[in-house]
Amino acid sequence: MQKNKTDKRSRLIQTAAKLAYRQGFRKTTLADIAEEAQVPLGNVYYYFKTKDELAAAIVEHHLKQLETSRQSWEEMDSPKERLYACVQMTAENARALARGGCSVGTLCTELRKEGGALAKLAAVLFTEHLAWIEAQFRAMGGNDDVRGLAIHLLSALQGIAVLSNSFEEPALVALETGRLKDWIRAM
Amino acid sequence: MQKNKTDKRSRLIQTAAKLAYRQGFRKTTLADIAEEAQVPLGNVYYYFKTKDELAAAIVEHHLKQLETSRQSWEEMDSPKERLYACVQMTAENARALARGGCSVGTLCTELRKEGGALAKLAAVLFTEHLAWIEAQFRAMGGNDDVRGLAIHLLSALQGIAVLSNSFEEPALVALETGRLKDWIRAM
DNA sequence: GTCTATACCGAGATAGAC
DNA sequence: GTCTATCTCGGTATAGAC
């Protein structure tokens, strides 16, 4: 088994994701990542031929993270509770959001501006997540515009991440997630 | 009068803002800006000692733009109509938002990750704007939580910018701004 | 597969003539 | 005030020994 290889590779990805979140992808150098992950710089290129390839791996990493989150919400009994749990997670994450924004949203925003292949990669980041939210609203029934509802929810979560990050103010997250919880509860 | 000087300087700022919006501030080189603004590279440093100083000028530029927008909304008779006009502007801007996100929001997100002095600059970007929105809600009366309402509105506008940019889909803006218009109208 | 040394280039910044 | 030429550093990527 290539345990070492896999370990190093995933360590690099995880570190890259962390640093890209903290300082932005473009600002983060391969040397930064290599050092933090305790891997010699030259060795990075054994796992990733280019920096762009590493970006793709970071996106992949986030997709898995999102998938994992959704799985945990699937445990809930009703679609309403699932969406509630989704909002709750954001509420609990207020401090990190105020410090660095949403890890997915900020990455997406940055990659879109990178243009080229990376911009296309970014588009995928929210696709499955939005579809999942939409599915919950559909399962709840009672409203035909499930897409509009899903957009509204995800949009609100992204927006509050931007604002709380801008002001570096976790309290804003509590304010808006509270509103969202009321909204879901009242449905 | 230093007409030439002022002209060149403001041309540089405007170009810098445009390119930073299109490709991100960090990705944009001084050479890019100089070329686009038709100013020799070396001359840029006569107006801005460092690239960071140029970033500060870009922020300043956006602050003025926002101020101008608010002034145009002030023309409306009632605070409700003013907020409506604010949302309407976003709706009309759907295509640009889908292409590059909100010029203020994306800049803010990027500068926050830059850290240091630039991160602090970013914090100012939304301050006055949020205060203005809050003032409109206060003028409308009938609700004590004017701050929550203001956060909700600005957050929604920022969120839909992130999403429509991510999916490169202007229609999402229409969807969410429609919802916001209904919300304001019903108040 | 792993790591060191280094090539190469691009970007920010400066010197100094005009 | 304006512009050309250039310095310098840092970051991506490669060569090649082990």
Side-chain angles (χ1 to χ4, degrees), chain B:
Chain B
M1 279 276 286
Q2 309 147 315
K3 183 146 190 287
N4 281 331
K5 170 174 172 177
T6 310
D7 270 8
K8 257 189 197 171
R9 190 187 151 88
S10 66
R11 207 164 70 229
L12 280 169
I13 296 174
Q14 199 152 358
T15 307
K18 184 174 71 180
L19 292 181
Y21 174 49
R22 191 183 300 162
Q23 7 177 272
F25 175 69
R26 205 178 186 80
K27 189 183 178 188
T28 303
T29 69
L30 293 173
D32 288 342
I33 298 166
E35 190 192 19
E36 181 91 3
Q38 310 241 44
V39 172
L41 175 57
N43 201 358
V44 173
Y45 288 90
Y46 173 74
Y47 299 99
F48 307 97
K49 279 187 276 298
T50 65
K51 196 187 179 188
D52 279 16
E53 217 168 273
L54 190 46
I58 294 174
V59 169
E60 207 52 53
H61 174 257
H62 278 112
L63 287 177
K64 276 184 205 146
Q65 293 280 106
L66 288 171
E67 167 73 19
T68 304
S69 295
R70 289 194 300 269
Q71 274 173 9
S72 80
W73 305 330
E74 287 283 359
E75 309 257 316
M76 312 302 288
D77 293 332
S78 69
K80 185 185 276 201
E81 285 172 291
R82 284 180 204 131
L83 291 175
Y84 195 92
C86 170
V87 172
Q88 178 59 26
M89 192 199 204
T90 298
E92 284 165 3
N93 218 14
R95 300 186 67 160
L97 291 173
R99 203 176 302 117
C102 170
S103 56
V104 177
T106 56
L107 178 64
C108 189
T109 298
E110 182 171 7
L111 292 184
R112 288 277 344 202
K113 294 217 188 289
E114 281 293 313
L118 294 186
K120 292 201 178 70
L121 264 182
V124 179
L125 271 166
F126 284 119
T127 310
E128 293 179 74
H129 213 62
L130 185 61
W132 182 86
I133 294 174
E134 198 176 328
Q136 305 314 309
F137 280 118
R138 188 171 299 112
M140 284 171 67
N143 194 307
D144 32 5
D145 184 22
V146 288
R147 176 144 183 94
L149 294 174
I151 291 288
H152 177 66
L153 177 55
L154 190 51
S155 170
L157 293 174
Q158 285 302 309
I160 199 58
V162 170
L163 279 197
S164 74
N165 181 29
S166 168
F167 290 116
E168 210 171 349
E169 179 58 70
L172 300 187
V173 177
L175 210 59
E176 184 64 13
T177 52
R179 188 174 286 269
L180 286 170
K181 285 179 189 173
D182 291 345
W183 179 63
I184 291 174
R185 214 182 280 120
M187 280 185 125

Side-chain angles (χ1 to χ4, degrees), chain A residues 10-23:
Chain A
S10 66
R11 209 164 69 230
L12 280 170
I13 296 174
Q14 201 152 355
T15 308
K18 184 174 71 178
L19 292 182
Y21 174 48
R22 192 182 300 162
Q23 3 175 276

Side-chain angles (χ1 to χ4, degrees), chain A residues 83 87 133 137 148-157 180 183-184:
Chain A
L83 291 176
V87 172
I133 294 175
F137 279 118
L149 295 173
I151 291 288
H152 178 66
L153 177 55
L154 190 51
S155 170
L157 294 174
L180 285 170
W183 178 62
I184 291 174

Side-chain angles (χ1 to χ4, degrees), chain A residues 35-56:
Chain A
E35 190 191 19
E36 181 91 2
Q38 309 241 45
V39 172
L41 174 57
N43 201 359
V44 173
Y45 288 91
Y46 174 73
Y47 298 99
F48 306 97
K49 280 187 277 296
T50 65
K51 197 187 178 188
D52 278 16
E53 218 169 274
L54 190 46

